[in-house]
């Protein structure tokens, strides 16, 4: 069981390829008459920080002080990235603006939750000598107090030999510091002198083998990892293996043997998208290792964080509260979706920035039944993210009487969160959800058919913003109160 989220003893410096991830969402209903291609009916689009910027965003979300160094173009994506990073609390004084190349941008076209196409706008050749000198100087300046350096290599030409040397120069003088690289490309030899590599299985198996590789020996992940640790003088390699979890290969003190630790994948309801998962792994294990955790515990923490981000379409981060729920040990990870009001508002704002349509519904949800499932599934179909707000126990007693709720709030919330079509659950203590609706600002407000529109709390708040209020017809004969009365009646007859 991994420990709670650690605190780094100082700032963490992130260096590497800064990317603007642009998302275009739409609907596909027909094939073009001009060519055998699908026609996307545009609905919305949004930007997200990617690459080294996403690593920095993950660290900031975990409460870390972060300095970022890299290159962006003097263009609209570069300016947007700087504003987004600054707003998240990332120090961008080490980011160099250049006229030599555009900001690396990846445009992903998505319909029905599936990626249809990706368009890359990038330059892959190494940065100019002038930009290299400016970046090396920035790394020395902003990374002076850093307790760790995380290098995010997307093979866009930023992590040159001189830049990598600048990242490892400080740690050579101060043994307490850590240098981690999320690698790219076939030449792992250029990372000689770093402490930790975090390749995925495919990257490791495609990497060029050092000359020490014994001819004719069986090639495997374990053998390659052990060879890389010894040949490059690494402290460890963490290999991410998708549905097979992770494998950590650590050099023992003698450097003669390498110890392997397998970390199984945490089960989720569904994996929606692996975009950015490697960034999350690098950020989380880097933070944890810099804070002094044993690497095996740090890797387990990173595994939990990666399990959170793959449940969301598009580049995203694992925030501290959600990660804390996951590492508490809930096997289903349902409680990771039960958030405080503050965390919920932040997650909804993040989803809205990505173009998501937010749906909100509320109720007591005591004794979950098929009528509730009908309501929730209909509600989720009206948007991209469903928030379910439930009354606290005291509020339920006020509404339903002294013998209710039958199920306490924490258990009601976890039951709802276990449903695949529910994205987040929040418990509100007030008599009505009005304050919560004002904070969340949903695009769609949904209630069951036992309400008329003028009885729905928050209707005016939503409609003033141009939102929609939807009443879902109630299934006949189904209500929690009737179920409770039936149970009590049977109980009386049984006595």
């Amino acid at each position: 069981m991994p420990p709670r989220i650690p605190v780094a003893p100082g700032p963490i410096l992130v260096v590497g390829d800064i990317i603007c991830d642009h998302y275009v969402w739409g609907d596909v209903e027909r094939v073009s008459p001009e060519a055998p291609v699908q026609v996307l009916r545009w609905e919305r689009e949004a930007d997200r920080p990617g690459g080294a910027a996403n690593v920095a965003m993950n660290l900031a979300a975990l409460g870390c002080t972060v300095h970022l160094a890299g290159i962006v173009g003097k263009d609209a994506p570069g300016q947007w990235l700087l504003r987004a990073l600054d707003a998240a609390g990332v120090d961008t004084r080490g980011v160099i603006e250049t006229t030599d190349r555009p900001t690396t941008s990846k445009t992903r076209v998505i319909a029905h939750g599936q990626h249809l196409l990706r368009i890359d706008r990038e330059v892959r050749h190494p940065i100019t000598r002038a930009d290299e000198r400016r970046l090396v100087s920035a790394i020395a300046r902003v990374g002076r107090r850093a307790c760790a350096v995380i290098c995010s290599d997307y093979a866009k030409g930023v992590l040159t030999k001189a830049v990598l040397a600048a990242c490892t120069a400080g740690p050579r003088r101060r043994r307490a510091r850590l240098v981690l690289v999320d690698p790219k490309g076939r030449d792992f030899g250029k990372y000689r002198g770093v402490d930790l590599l975090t390749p995925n299985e495919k990257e490791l198996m495609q990497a060029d083998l050092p000359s020490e590789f014994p001819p004719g020996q069986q090639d495997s992940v374990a053998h390659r990892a052990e060879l890389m640790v010894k040949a490059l003088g690494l402290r460890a390699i963490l290999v991410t293996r998708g549905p097979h979890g992770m494998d950590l290969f650590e050099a023992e003190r003698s450097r003669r043997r390498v110890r392997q630790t397998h970390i199984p994948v945490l089960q989720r309801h569904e994996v929606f998208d692996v975009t950015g998962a490697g960034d999350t792994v690098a950020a989380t294990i880097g933070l944890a290792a810099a804070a002094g955790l044993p690497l095996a515990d740090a890797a387990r923490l990173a595994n939990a964080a990666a399990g959170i981000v793959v449940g969301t379409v598009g580049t995203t981060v694992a925030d501290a509260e959600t990660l804390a729920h996951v590492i508490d040990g809930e096997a289903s990870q349902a409680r990771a979706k039960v958030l405080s009001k503050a965390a919920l508002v932040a997650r909804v704002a993040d989803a809205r920035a990505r173009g998501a349509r937010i749906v909100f519904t509320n109720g007591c949800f005591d004794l979950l039944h098929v009528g509730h499932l009908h309501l929730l599934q209909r509600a989720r179909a009206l948007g991209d993210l469903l928030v379910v707000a439930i009354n606290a126990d005291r509020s339920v007693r006020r509404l339903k009487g002294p013998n209710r709720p039958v199920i306490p709030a924490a258990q009601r919330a976890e039951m709802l969160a276990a449903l695949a079509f529910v994205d987040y659950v929040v418990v509100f203590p007030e008599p009505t959800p009005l304050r919560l609706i004002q904070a969340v600002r949903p695009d769609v407000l949904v209630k069951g058919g036992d309400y008329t529109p003028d009885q729905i709390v928050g209707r005016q708040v939503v409609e003033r913003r141009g939102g929609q209020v939807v009443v879902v017809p109630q299934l006949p004969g189904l209500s929690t109160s009737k179920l409770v009365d039936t149970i009590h009646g049977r109980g009386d007859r049984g006595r």
Side-chain angles (χ1 to χ4, degrees):
M1 171 56 58
R4 286 194 169 274
I5 299 168
V7 178
I12 292 182
L13 172 64
V14 180
V15 182
D17 297 298
I18 298 173
I19 298 171
C20 179
D21 284 329
H22 184 69
Y23 291 87
V24 178
W25 288 272
D27 192 18
V28 173
E29 298 175 339
R30 61 193 179 95
V31 174
S32 171
E34 303 162 353
V37 296
Q38 294 175 312
V39 176
L40 181 88
R41 181 170 55 81
W42 180 94
E43 292 180 351
R44 61 192 183 278
E45 56 190 287
D47 293 316
R48 294 289 298 161
N54 189 38
V55 175
M57 294 287 283
N58 272 271
L59 288 166
L62 294 173
C64 186
T65 301
V66 191
H67 300 294
L68 177 63
I71 301 284
V72 296
K74 286 191 174 182
D75 49 27
Q79 292 301 307
W80 179 87
L81 278 166
L82 291 174
R83 290 194 301 271
L85 289 160
D86 288 341
V90 176
D91 187 327
T92 59
R93 288 177 294 174
V95 178
I96 306 300
E97 294 182 80
T98 183
T99 57
D100 179 65
R101 59 174 61 204
T103 301
T104 299
S105 301
K106 298 180 181 180
T107 299
R108 294 175 174 89
V109 181
I110 301 172
H112 306 293
Q114 300 293 322
H115 291 249
L116 301 183
L117 178 69
R118 197 179 92 183
I119 305 165
D120 291 357
R121 180 172 179 259
E122 62 185 17
V123 172
R124 295 186 181 181
H125 60 67
I127 57 177
T128 65
R129 291 292 179 87
D131 285 339
E132 183 182 66
R133 286 193 296 269
R134 293 168 66 198
L135 183 55
V136 167
S137 177
I139 291 168
R141 184 175 66 254
V142 302
R144 191 175 296 115
R145 294 176 50 249
C147 67
V149 181
I150 299 177
C151 298
S152 179
D153 193 350
Y154 275 75
K156 310 304 180 190
V158 171
L159 286 175
T160 64
K161 184 177 180 179
V163 171
L164 284 168
C167 293
T168 56
R172 288 198 185 105
R173 293 194 302 269
R174 296 175 56 194
R175 296 173 62 89
R177 286 177 57 175
L178 169 94
V179 179
L180 178 155
V181 176
D182 189 11
K184 190 71 68 179
R186 301 177 65 94
D187 180 16
F188 280 19
K190 63 183 179 181
Y191 305 124
R192 191 182 303 272
V194 308
D195 297 297
L196 178 63
L197 292 182
T198 60
N200 60 40
E201 182 175 356
K202 181 179 178 181
E203 289 166 342
L204 177 66
M205 295 306 292
Q206 289 182 345
D208 292 332
L209 292 166
S211 58
E212 300 95 326
F213 186 75
Q217 189 160 354
Q218 183 181 3
D219 199 5
S220 67
V221 168
H223 186 69
R224 278 189 174 239
E226 182 175 346
L227 188 70
M228 292 290 186
V229 168
K230 291 179 178 179
L232 303 181
L234 304 173
R235 179 176 163 191
I237 282 184
L238 177 67
V239 185
T240 56
R241 306 185 67 183
H244 303 295
M246 300 177 177
D247 283 287
L248 177 69
F249 300 88
E250 292 181 83
E252 295 187 347
R253 288 193 175 185
S254 65
R255 297 279 176 176
R256 293 178 181 177
R257 298 183 60 187
V258 175
R259 181 172 66 254
Q260 179 179 356
T261 303
H262 177 67
I263 302 157
V265 68
L266 288 174
Q267 297 299 315
R268 294 191 58 88
H269 296 297
E270 188 172 0
V271 174
F272 287 98
D273 191 358
V274 297
T275 304
D279 301 330
T280 299
V281 168
T284 311
I285 193 172
L287 167 61
L293 265 65
L295 281 180
D297 282 342
R300 292 186 183 98
L301 196 69
N303 188 46
I308 293 169
V309 302
V310 297
T312 304
V313 174
T315 312
T316 188
V317 300
D319 64 87
E321 180 174 318
T322 305
L323 183 55
H325 280 309
V326 172
I327 64 176
D328 272 343
E330 300 89 2
S332 68
Q333 298 193 44
R335 283 186 58 202
K337 294 158 65 175
V338 182
L339 303 182
S340 66
K341 178 180 175 180
L344 173 67
V345 170
R347 294 301 288 262
V348 166
D350 182 70
R352 180 173 282 116
R354 290 186 279 112
R357 181 176 169 88
I358 312 301
V359 183
F360 181 101
T361 191
N362 66 277
C364 298
F365 292 98
D366 196 13
L367 289 183
L368 198 63
H369 56 71
V370 71
H372 293 138
L373 301 184
H374 172 73
L375 168 71
L376 295 173
Q377 289 181 89
R378 290 285 300 274
R380 183 60 174 80
L382 295 169
D384 305 296
L385 185 149
L386 174 60
V387 175
V388 180
I390 66 171
N391 297 71
D393 292 345
R394 182 180 296 181
S395 175
V396 176
R397 282 193 290 272
R398 269 197 306 266
L399 293 168
K400 305 292 184 180
N403 295 323
R404 299 280 299 276
V406 177
I407 308 297
Q411 294 180 28
R412 286 184 281 131
E414 189 166 355
M415 285 287 289
L416 287 165
L419 300 173
F421 41 83
V422 172
D423 294 285
Y424 297 119
V425 180
V426 62
V427 180
F428 63 92
E430 299 89 0
T432 76
L434 181 60
R435 290 184 181 177
L436 189 58
I437 291 170
Q438 291 170 331
V440 172
R441 299 184 297 126
D443 301 294
V444 184
L445 176 61
V446 177
K447 286 295 289 183
D450 50 344
Y451 287 82
T452 61
D454 60 321
Q455 294 176 319
I456 296 176
V457 173
R459 176 179 64 87
Q460 293 179 340
V461 173
V462 173
E463 289 181 341
R464 271 199 303 268
R465 296 188 61 253
Q468 180 184 10
V469 176
V470 176
V471 177
V472 174
Q474 191 175 27
L475 293 182
L478 286 173
S479 78
T480 301
S481 296
K482 289 182 179 179
L483 279 174
V484 171
D485 291 342
T486 300
I487 292 168
H488 285 166
R490 287 177 180 171
D492 291 340
R493 287 194 296 272
R495 286 196 290 270

Coordinates of all heavy atoms in Angstrom, one line a residue, residues 34 87 98 113 180 235 238 277-278 286 314 316 343 351 383 399 459 472:
E34 N -17.9 13.9 -51.6 CA -16.7 14.2 -52.4 C -15.6 13.2 -52.4 O -14.7 13.2 -53.3 CB -16.2 15.6 -51.9 CG -17.3 16.7 -52.0 CD -16.9 17.9 -51.1 OE1 -15.9 17.8 -50.4 OE2 -17.6 18.9 -51.1
A87 N -1.5 30.5 -14.8 CA -2.8 30.4 -14.1 C -2.8 29.2 -13.1 O -3.4 29.3 -12.1 CB -4.0 30.3 -15.0
T98 N 10.8 31.8 -29.1 CA 11.7 31.8 -30.3 C 11.0 32.1 -31.5 O 9.8 31.8 -31.7 CB 12.5 30.5 -30.4 OG1 13.4 30.5 -31.5 CG2 11.5 29.3 -30.7
G113 N -16.3 9.9 -28.4 CA -15.2 9.5 -27.5 C -14.1 8.8 -28.2 O -13.2 8.3 -27.5
L180 N 15.3 12.6 -13.5 CA 14.5 11.6 -14.1 C 14.2 12.0 -15.6 O 14.0 13.2 -15.9 CB 13.1 11.6 -13.4 CG 12.0 10.6 -13.9 CD1 11.1 10.2 -12.7 CD2 11.2 11.2 -15.0
R235 N 20.1 4.5 -11.5 CA 19.6 4.1 -10.2 C 18.4 3.1 -10.5 O 18.3 2.1 -9.8 CB 19.1 5.3 -9.4 CG 18.5 5.0 -8.1 CD 18.2 6.3 -7.4 NE 17.3 6.1 -6.2 CZ 16.7 7.1 -5.6 NH1 16.9 8.3 -6.0 NH2 15.8 6.8 -4.6
L238 N 11.8 2.5 -14.6 CA 10.4 2.1 -14.4 C 9.8 1.9 -15.8 O 9.7 2.8 -16.6 CB 9.6 3.2 -13.7 CG 8.1 2.9 -13.5 CD1 7.9 1.7 -12.5 CD2 7.4 4.1 -12.9
A277 N -0.7 9.9 -20.0 CA -0.5 9.0 -18.8 C 1.0 9.0 -18.5 O 1.4 8.9 -17.3 CB -1.0 7.6 -19.1
G278 N 1.9 8.9 -19.5 CA 3.3 8.9 -19.2 C 3.8 10.2 -18.5 O 4.7 10.1 -17.7
G286 N 8.6 11.2 -9.9 CA 9.6 12.2 -9.6 C 9.4 12.9 -8.3 O 10.3 13.1 -7.5
G314 N -8.6 12.9 -23.4 CA -7.8 14.1 -23.5 C -6.7 14.2 -22.4 O -6.8 13.5 -21.4
T316 N -5.0 15.3 -19.2 CA -5.6 15.8 -17.9 C -4.6 15.4 -16.8 O -3.5 14.9 -17.1 CB -6.9 15.2 -17.6 OG1 -7.5 15.8 -16.5 CG2 -6.8 13.7 -17.4
A343 N -12.9 20.7 -4.7 CA -12.3 19.9 -5.8 C -13.2 19.7 -6.9 O -12.7 19.6 -8.1 CB -11.9 18.5 -5.1
A351 N -12.7 20.5 -17.0 CA -13.5 19.8 -18.0 C -14.1 20.8 -19.0 O -14.2 20.6 -20.2 CB -14.6 18.9 -17.4
G383 N -25.0 15.2 -21.9 CA -23.8 15.9 -22.0 C -22.5 15.0 -21.9 O -22.6 13.8 -22.2
L399 N -36.1 16.3 5.3 CA -37.0 16.1 4.2 C -37.9 14.9 4.3 O -39.1 14.9 4.0 CB -36.2 16.0 2.9 CG -35.5 17.3 2.4 CD1 -34.6 16.9 1.3 CD2 -36.5 18.3 1.9
R459 N -33.2 26.4 -11.3 CA -33.6 26.5 -12.7 C -33.2 27.9 -13.2 O -32.7 28.0 -14.4 CB -35.1 26.3 -12.8 CG -35.7 26.6 -14.2 CD -37.2 26.3 -14.2 NE -37.9 27.3 -13.4 CZ -38.3 28.5 -13.8 NH1 -38.1 28.9 -15.0 NH2 -39.0 29.2 -13.0
V472 N -36.9 14.5 -16.5 CA -37.0 13.1 -17.0 C -38.2 12.4 -16.4 O -38.4 12.4 -15.2 CB -35.7 12.3 -16.6 CG1 -35.8 10.9 -17.0 CG2 -34.5 13.0 -17.2

